[in-house]
Amino acid sequence: MEGGFTGKEAYQQHFNPKDYLGVHLPFGSGSTPACEALFSFVLQKLHKAFLLSSIRGDTLIDIGSGPSIYQLLSACESFKEIIATDFLEQNREELQKWLKKDPEAFDWSPMVKYVCQLKGNRKKWMEKEETLRRTVKQVLKCDVTLANPFHPLVVPPADCVLSTFCLEAACQDLPTYRSAVRNVGSLVKPGGHLIFAVFTEETFYMVGPHRFSCLYLTKDRVEEAMKEAGFCIRWSEMASAHLPPEIADAQHVAVLVAQKQC
């Protein structure tokens, strides 16, 4: 796996959800300060998108959920239904553990409390968890390199499609990335929204002992791909990543909110 593009088979064989969560997603006690700062920024911007910018509707599709739920914490109060998705079976299984309250599931409560604090009431974190569990109606397999990422299933277009740190890991080059943005964008209704959280200027990240490749992107390249897919950028914000080199080499994180042209 050293060097070159990390393909689907390598992910299926070597991506361990617990290793990923243990390094990248701890919040509070035991966390890496740079990772905590990075995900605090993302949670703040998703709060802005869903609760302050009033992006809402019937259905949200989360593309490349991984084993994670943090990205859905603000969205779950703005949509009646959330469809979580990922290419890897082990990630979908890990996500289902949390949804089913499996005792071995990852503890997301520090992040849930943080998001509740953004809204002004940290004590309602258990209600937030239950709201999210009720709102996630399906966990599906997806492949962003396919024209229909859910092939052979056909999923109706959604009011919003969200994707955090997925496409840059799934695409080997810029043409493939632009195609993947079009594929994901096709799942959005006219007038609906596409929201990305993206690592920029990154070439790799680590999960346990395994190194996974990332497509080197800039915020401008992401915006260009979204525009080519038929979206206009409503707003975007960026922050420095400052990740330790033993975790990843991303220089920045960007959150972009775009609307599909009617």
Side-chain angles (χ1 to χ4, degrees):
M1 287 177 58
E2 292 300 321
F5 175 65
T6 310
K8 298 174 185 178
E9 290 186 4
Y11 268 91
Q12 289 169 329
Q13 293 175 16
H14 300 296
F15 191 97
N16 185 308
K18 291 191 181 298
D19 286 346
Y20 172 76
L21 293 171
V23 172
H24 294 265
L25 272 301
F27 214 69
S29 177
S31 69
T32 302
C35 289
E36 183 165 342
L38 185 154
F39 283 99
S40 295
F41 171 80
V42 173
L43 292 171
Q44 290 166 18
K45 300 313 161 189
L46 294 178
H47 172 79
K48 174 181 176 180
F50 293 116
L51 298 179
L52 303 183
S53 298
S54 297
I55 295 175
R56 56 183 61 250
D58 292 327
T59 304
L60 177 141
I61 298 173
D62 183 35
I63 294 291
S65 305
S68 306
I69 59 97
Y70 70 89
Q71 69 278 15
L72 304 174
L73 290 169
S74 290
C76 69
E77 295 183 26
S78 297
F79 293 87
K80 298 176 183 177
E81 174 185 18
I82 291 175
I83 300 172
T85 76
D86 200 75
F87 177 73
L88 294 178
E89 182 179 0
Q90 61 263 40
N91 281 343
R92 300 193 302 273
E93 289 176 351
E94 186 68 30
L95 181 56
Q96 290 280 17
K97 285 182 181 179
W98 184 85
L99 292 171
K100 295 176 180 178
K101 299 185 180 181
D102 189 310
E104 295 183 359
F106 186 75
D107 180 13
W108 290 101
S109 61
M111 275 195 176
V112 181
K113 291 173 183 176
Y114 179 80
V115 172
C116 289
Q117 185 174 314
L118 292 176
K119 199 176 177 183
N121 195 338
R122 186 181 178 89
K123 294 181 179 179
K124 289 193 172 183
W125 68 273
M126 286 187 285
E127 292 178 32
K128 168 75 79 174
E129 288 193 338
E130 291 311 306
T131 298
L132 179 53
R133 287 189 173 100
R134 288 195 305 270
T135 308
V136 176
K137 304 297 186 183
Q138 299 181 77
V139 179
L140 302 179
K141 181 178 181 179
C142 76
D143 183 342
V144 299
T145 65
L146 301 178
N148 170 14
F150 300 118
H151 179 81
L153 295 178
V154 176
V155 176
D159 300 286
C160 182
V161 169
L162 169 68
S163 187
T164 57
F165 311 123
C166 171
L167 273 65
E168 61 266 37
C171 298
Q172 184 171 7
D173 51 37
L174 276 173
T176 305
Y177 180 79
R178 288 193 290 265
S179 176
V181 174
R182 288 194 299 272
N183 297 341
V184 170
S186 71
L187 302 172
V188 182
K189 292 178 180 179
H193 290 84
L194 180 62
I195 302 176
F196 284 166
V198 183
F199 283 126
T200 63
E201 301 166 76
E202 181 179 42
T203 64
F204 79 91
Y205 69 100
M206 301 297 296
V207 177
H210 300 292
R211 180 184 177 106
F212 292 86
S213 62
C214 275
L215 178 63
Y216 185 96
L217 292 170
T218 63
K219 187 166 74 74
D220 288 346
R221 286 177 175 174
V222 179
E223 290 184 354
E224 288 168 5
M226 296 175 94
K227 290 174 183 176
E228 288 176 6
F231 291 81
C232 57
I233 308 298
R234 283 188 58 183
W235 56 265
S236 63
E237 296 191 35
M238 190 162 66
S240 296
H242 299 305
L243 291 170
E246 64 270 19
I247 293 179
D249 66 347
Q251 298 301 302
H252 296 90
V253 57
V255 176
L256 306 97
V257 175
Q259 189 167 19
K260 194 167 194 175
Q261 296 169 341
C262 299

